[in-house]
Amino acid sequence: MKQDYENTNPKPLAPGHHPGPLPTDVREPGVWDDTPEAINRRKFLTQLSIALGGLTGVALVVPVAAFIVAPLFKETPIVWRAVGDLNKFKVGETVQVSFDDSSPVPWAGITAKTAAWLRRTGDSSFICFAVNCSHLGCPVTWLPGARLFMCPCHGGVYYEDGKVAAGPPPHSLFTYDTRVNNGQVEVRATGVPIPT
Amino acid sequence: MAIIKGILGWLEDRTGLGAAVKPVLDHKVPYTNWKTGWWYVLGSAVLVAFMIQVISGIALSTSYVSSAGEAYNSLKFITDEMIFGNFLRGMHFWGGSAMVLLVGAHALHVFIVGAFKFPREVNWLSGVVLFFTTLAMGFTGQLLRWDQTAYWSVIVGADQAARTPFIGESLAKFVMAGNTVGGATLSRFFAYHVFFIPGIIFLFIGLHLFLVIRNGISEPPERGEAVDPKTYRQRYHDLLEKTGVPFWPDAVWRDAVAAIIVVLGVVGLSIFVGPPHLEAPPDPTELRVYPRPDWYLLWYFSVLALIPPAAEPYVILGGPGLAIVLMIILPLIANKGERSPLRRPWAMGFVLLLVIMISTLWITGLVSPWSPDLTTKPIDPAVLKLSDAQTQLGAKLFYEKGCQYCHAIDVYGPSDASQPGSPRVVGGARGPDLSTTGSRLTKEQIVVRILNGGNSMPQFGTLLTPPELDAIVAFLQTRKLPTGEHQQGKANEVEVSTNQKK
């Protein structure tokens, strides 16, 4: 019996020497116990093995996939971040400010920060532009002499109100909400603006 | 000798490894001569480059810290302090470069000789997966350098993903692993680069090689020998019987030559050129940055810069999408017929177009004329030799109002042929060179242009006071060709008409 079984192994691969597809069924009649009970038993064991294998897979994949994907669905609580004393900012002046992201991980290091362009427009009113160009997200620079924002990647230019002046950007610069709280200017840290 | 033979004999008896490998080594492959044979080394050369990547990558991972706060410092340490650290980083960069280059060359060769046709369709499809995973390794690998460019590349990547309809925002958040680029981002990219993507690559290399053995290496194409699925296998079989040669060593020796060339090339570049320079740390508050992709994606950077903004929503997603779809359907719709490039003029025309397109975009990307030069410095008034106060003010404003970021100017003037020590031409290449604009445009034309701007130029109408405008115009009018070489006339009309179209 054992000898027969070994003989039914497919031959080693010999490329170019098998014009047809590989044989899929190598079982020759008479090799196996072909009584109905034996066939039923094999059928059951096949289904059992596939079911158990599937279950094992699910048991492994579900927690792992959940671990990997879950953080992406977690809503980050958005917080206000102070960027400086109200008196520090002169009306009409555009300055770079930086603040911590809403919920940085402890090992984020300097990448926990976000930069923005802040301009005091009145007594207690501010406008805060994201640094990210609306084209592909590169950081725009404020040119005080020209009163323009300019992007170093593809030459996008914005007027001082954030509207597109030239180049490829599809829309105005994104803005963050601002407020004055206890003499501090605060910016709502909503993260990197995602153009949609 | 007898002892070694005994040990080997025992091992073979207990494992059967030799018996398993021998048919692979002995299997017949089509005879190739010196003209056709060398092209077949490209595939194995990619594999060699991949092995370099695995080995150098494992070595680097022993010291790299995949934490957003520490990655940069650990790379600095690897580069500056560790023995062979700089060399290994170079090896990983140049090995990756070789892999991208060779995988592209391999795919192109397979396309040119029609080796993707029956029965090798799945060879090609598994190769498509390997092609794109290789590019993905390039992109994720550049990010692990975790310097300024890496930081901004993640954002640029996320912003491109964000253009996807419906799921764009989720995709962008997936790329950044949150709503900002921070601690979670790098850890994830590390996992992609070191576990996920290499896992896929290993799997598909296994399938790819299995299929190479199973379907046999394609024979050099002959004109008039069209592939017919009904007869091809028999014909290939007969060809091997008649003129086939054993894979080992008749075909392998060329692969061995190619392997040593790849390895020596990578080692040489690592020693003499070294790894890419580590830029400043990934500080999001440092905004004077000039993010550029590594060379293998530079041509795509050019695409994004040069397409009309209105076409962007389609190109950013449709471009790569179309490439993937075309590569997948290719072997499914074109799996029979002539393989010889001499009988496939459309396919060869396409190859020519592709090569010209990508090389042109590449060269343009190296210059990046669309990027303003934010590093340009004010021009030294002494060099300009301007006599009156108004033009001197104009030169100053030319810098302060941002003109010089986009417009180049010959500071000595074209009439001065002397070769001074400092660079003659300053400013960016985004807009036209204004060195001779005084000869090309009248005062009114210059004024109209400045006030109204254009597609790539802001309207300075509200940004300049009348005296400032006058000063800049006066300064530009001093930028002239030497007397006698005036170009006014036809050129002006062209300039003005494009002006008004915009």
Side-chain angles (χ1 to χ4, degrees):
Chain A
M1 198 68 169
K2 189 168 175 288
Q3 200 61 40
D4 290 338
Y5 170 73
E6 282 180 353
N7 282 344
T8 60
N9 271 345
K11 292 195 188 88
L13 281 171
H17 292 263
H18 46 80
L22 284 175
T24 48
D25 191 2
V26 293
R27 292 171 192 175
E28 288 161 27
V31 173
W32 306 106
D33 180 358
D34 276 342
T35 56
E37 294 79 20
I39 288 173
N40 271 341
R41 185 180 144 77
R42 280 205 292 273
K43 210 174 178 180
F44 169 73
L45 289 178
T46 304
Q47 286 164 351
L48 179 75
S49 301
I50 291 172
L52 285 179
L55 212 62
T56 314
V58 169
L60 283 172
V61 165
V62 167
V64 171
F67 174 81
I68 293 172
V69 177
L72 305 178
F73 290 101
K74 207 180 110 193
E75 279 297 313
T76 317
I78 304 298
V79 296
W80 290 88
R81 295 288 195 199
V83 294
D85 214 58
L86 176 63
N87 304 322
K88 211 178 80 179
F89 302 99
K90 289 198 205 98
V91 175
E93 206 177 48
T94 309
V95 291
Q96 188 190 331
V97 292
S98 67
F99 48 88
D100 278 349
D101 294 339
S102 276
S103 53
V105 292
W107 59 88
I110 43 169
T111 62
K113 295 221 171 289
T114 292
W117 293 107
L118 184 73
R119 183 186 309 133
R120 188 166 181 178
T121 51
D123 223 19
S124 61
S125 60
F126 285 83
I127 184 160
C128 186
F129 296 103
V131 296
N132 304 95
C133 181
S134 71
H135 180 222
L136 289 171
C138 289
V140 297
T141 298
W142 170 249
L143 310 175
R147 304 201 69 75
L148 293 167
F149 293 100
M150 193 175 245
C151 177
C153 285
H154 301 124
V157 189
Y158 303 83
Y159 294 115
E160 62 180 332
D161 60 358
K163 290 216 173 67
V164 180
H171 47 78
S172 308
L173 282 176
F174 181 86
T175 54
Y176 296 114
D177 295 339
T178 57
R179 71 178 185 192
V180 178
N181 190 17
N182 292 331
Q184 288 283 313
V185 182
E186 293 186 338
V187 172
R188 204 160 163 267
T190 47
V192 174
I194 295 165
T196 43
Chain B
M1 229 19 213
I3 299 175
I4 296 174
K5 252 191 174 164
I7 293 173
L8 287 179
W10 179 85
L11 259 181
E12 180 55 27
D13 181 71
R14 299 302 192 276
T15 62
L17 285 176
V21 173
K22 202 164 181 316
V24 174
L25 296 180
D26 288 346
H27 86 268
K28 281 187 173 178
V29 298
Y31 171 78
T32 53
N33 57 26
W34 64 273
K35 261 201 269 183
T36 49
W38 286 104
W39 294 107
Y40 286 79
V41 304
L42 288 170
S44 73
V46 184
L47 188 62
V48 170
F50 178 65
M51 285 178 193
I52 295 176
Q53 291 312 85
V54 172
I55 294 165
S56 56
I58 289 174
L60 286 170
S61 77
T62 58
S63 293
Y64 180 77
V65 180
S66 63
S67 143
E70 294 301 332
Y72 182 81
N73 290 336
S74 74
L75 266 173
K76 202 109 191 108
F77 183 80
I78 291 172
T79 313
D80 299 337
E81 313 272 329
M82 289 183 74
I83 297 167
F84 282 121
N86 196 56
F87 173 76
L88 263 176
R89 271 197 59 218
M91 209 162 152
H92 204 59
F93 174 75
W94 292 109
S97 301
M99 196 171 159
V100 173
L101 199 68
L102 289 166
V103 87
H106 179 47
L108 215 54
H109 171 242
V110 166
F111 179 76
I112 289 171
V113 298
F116 58 86
K117 299 196 176 202
F118 178 90
R120 302 184 182 85
E121 295 97 327
V122 184
N123 296 42
W124 170 270
L125 292 175
S126 56
V128 172
V129 174
L130 289 166
F131 178 82
F132 285 104
T133 43
T134 301
L135 287 184
M137 285 301 269
F139 181 67
T140 53
Q142 187 193 347
L143 299 186
L144 295 195
R145 220 179 295 145
W146 210 236
D147 52 12
Q148 266 180 350
T149 294
Y151 176 89
W152 290 105
S153 295
V154 185
I155 291 184
V156 170
D159 271 21
Q160 285 180 52
R163 304 281 181 108
T164 317
F166 308 116
I167 54 164
E169 196 177 346
S170 309
L171 268 184
K173 282 190 172 165
F174 178 79
V175 172
M176 295 192 290
N179 63 0
T180 56
V181 174
T185 320
L186 179 67
S187 308
R188 268 179 188 262
F189 272 106
F190 182 76
Y192 300 148
H193 185 78
V194 174
F195 297 109
F196 283 77
I197 309 176
I200 298 171
I201 292 183
F202 271 113
L203 218 70
F204 276 84
I205 286 181
L207 174 65
H208 202 67
L209 292 182
F210 170 79
L211 291 173
V212 167
I213 304 286
R214 184 188 186 285
N215 292 324
I217 294 170
S218 72
E219 75 281 15
E222 290 286 341
R223 258 181 290 179
E225 283 195 0
V227 173
D228 178 357
K230 285 198 198 75
T231 57
Y232 180 80
R233 278 197 161 114
Q234 189 59 48
R235 200 179 84 206
Y236 183 71
H237 177 80
D238 296 344
L239 177 86
L240 291 188
E241 289 294 305
K242 229 189 295 166
T243 58
V245 292
F247 178 59
W248 173 279
D250 290 49
V252 169
W253 75 271
R254 285 201 179 95
D255 295 312
V257 172
I260 195 71
I261 291 174
V262 171
V263 170
L264 287 182
V266 167
V267 167
L269 285 166
S270 317
I271 294 173
F272 296 113
V273 183
H277 172 64
L278 265 190
E279 292 163 28
D283 184 348
T285 65
E286 182 45 66
L287 301 182
R288 292 256 160 180
V289 297
Y290 310 96
R292 291 278 176 284
D294 279 348
W295 70 265
Y296 35 80
L297 288 175
L298 197 58
W299 62 275
Y300 191 64
F301 177 73
S302 307
V303 173
L304 296 179
L306 294 175
I307 50 172
E312 265 177 13
Y314 311 102
V315 174
I316 286 180
L317 293 162
L322 188 70
I324 292 172
V325 169
L326 284 181
M327 285 174 91
I328 287 173
I329 61 168
L330 170 72
L332 306 178
I333 59 165
N335 72 333
K336 25 184 191 280
E338 287 278 355
R339 279 185 51 206
S340 167
L342 297 169
R343 291 284 171 91
R344 290 159 58 226
W346 286 104
M348 292 315 105
F350 174 75
V351 169
L352 194 69
L353 198 71
L354 194 74
V355 170
I356 291 175
M357 190 182 84
I358 291 188
S359 357
T360 316
L361 286 166
W362 234 319
I363 295 164
T364 320
L366 287 174
V367 187
S368 302
W370 52 81
S371 293
D373 180 8
L374 296 182
T375 60
T376 190
K377 298 276 178 307
I379 310 169
D380 181 3
V383 179
L384 283 168
K385 297 193 211 95
L386 296 167
S387 45
D388 63 302
Q390 193 189 31
T391 48
Q392 282 171 3
L393 174 68
K396 194 164 151 267
L397 288 168
F398 187 73
Y399 172 79
E400 281 175 7
K401 293 296 174 183
C403 315
Q404 207 177 307
Y405 295 116
C406 294
H407 294 286
I409 219 153
D410 183 341
V411 293
Y412 293 90
S415 49
D416 182 348
S418 62
Q419 284 297 328
S422 56
R424 286 187 71 109
V425 178
V426 297
R430 170 102 179 129
D433 187 324
L434 300 182
S435 299
T436 61
T437 199
S439 299
R440 290 188 292 116
L441 301 180
T442 62
K443 184 180 177 186
E444 289 69 31
Q445 287 168 334
I446 299 176
V447 170
V448 164
R449 188 59 159 163
I450 294 176
L451 293 183
N452 293 326
N455 272 347
S456 304
M457 176 170 165
Q459 301 170 3
F460 279 87
T462 54
L463 300 169
L464 298 172
T465 62
E468 285 173 339
L469 177 68
D470 289 345
I472 292 176
V473 173
F475 165 63
L476 288 176
Q477 283 189 296
T478 66
R479 305 292 94 196
K480 281 187 171 165
L481 285 169
T483 24
E485 287 184 45
H486 283 249
Q487 298 182 338
Q488 266 180 349
K490 285 267 177 234
N492 285 343
E493 290 166 30
V494 174
E495 182 94 12
V496 172
S497 63
T498 41
N499 201 356
Q500 279 161 352
K501 230 184 277 170
K502 284 166 182 173

